[in-house]
Amino acid sequence: MATRPPLDAREVDRFDALVTVDDADRVDAFLDRCVTGSTWLAQIRTAEVTATVTDRNPLGTFEERICVCLSFRLALPVPVEPGLRFRLVADDGSDLTASGVVRPWGG
């Protein structure tokens, strides 16, 4: 049986992620709110930490309505590794949510 390579987990306060909106009917509201400087509550494992969007880019030829690349700065360092799934919740009471996956380091 093949063994998995060890996870490249790191305690970081910045990371890049691929994100999709949880409710397809709210994509436009999410994209309007998810701008550079906006803040969200990131639920990463058992941690809940404020995440500020530092950059937003489309993923290649995919429309942002399908998937968007976001860069975050966290209020506190949190251990993550590429491929880790997490959730974003709007911190403005709008009930917008999105699901994300941490991108490989240096990507």
Side-chain angles (χ1 to χ4, degrees), residues 18-51:
L18 301 177
V19 177
T20 57
V21 181
D22 292 335
D23 180 350
D25 293 332
R26 311 256 346 251
V27 170
D28 291 325
F30 175 82
L31 292 174
D32 288 345
R33 189 191 178 293
C34 187
V35 296
T36 299
S38 64
T39 58
W40 298 79
L41 177 64
Q43 298 171 335
I44 304 170
R45 290 192 179 94
T46 60
E48 290 187 346
V49 63
T50 300

Side-chain angles (χ1 to χ4, degrees), residues 18 47 59 61 69 74 76 94 96 103:
L18 301 177
L59 174 63
T61 59
C69 295
L74 302 176
L76 299 168
S94 65
L96 287 172
R103 291 193 68 175

Side-chain angles (χ1 to χ4, degrees), residues 4 19 29 38 47-49 65 68 73-74 86 89 96 102:
R4 285 184 177 184
V19 177
S38 64
E48 290 187 346
V49 63
R65 295 178 52 78
V68 63
R73 183 182 70 245
L74 302 176
F86 66 97
V89 179
L96 287 172
V102 175

Side-chain angles (χ1 to χ4, degrees), residues 10-19 40-45 49-56 69-88 99-107:
R10 301 177 186 182
E11 191 166 281
V12 299
D13 63 359
R14 296 172 188 271
F15 68 91
D16 297 331
L18 301 177
V19 177
W40 298 79
L41 177 64
Q43 298 171 335
I44 304 170
R45 290 192 179 94
V49 63
T50 300
T52 302
V53 176
T54 59
D55 200 11
R56 176 177 127 185
C69 295
L70 299 175
S71 296
F72 294 101
R73 183 182 70 245
L74 302 176
L76 299 168
V78 176
V80 299
E81 70 270 349
L84 178 71
R85 296 177 185 273
F86 66 97
R87 189 161 191 235
L88 289 177
S99 297
V101 62
V102 175
R103 291 193 68 175
W105 305 129

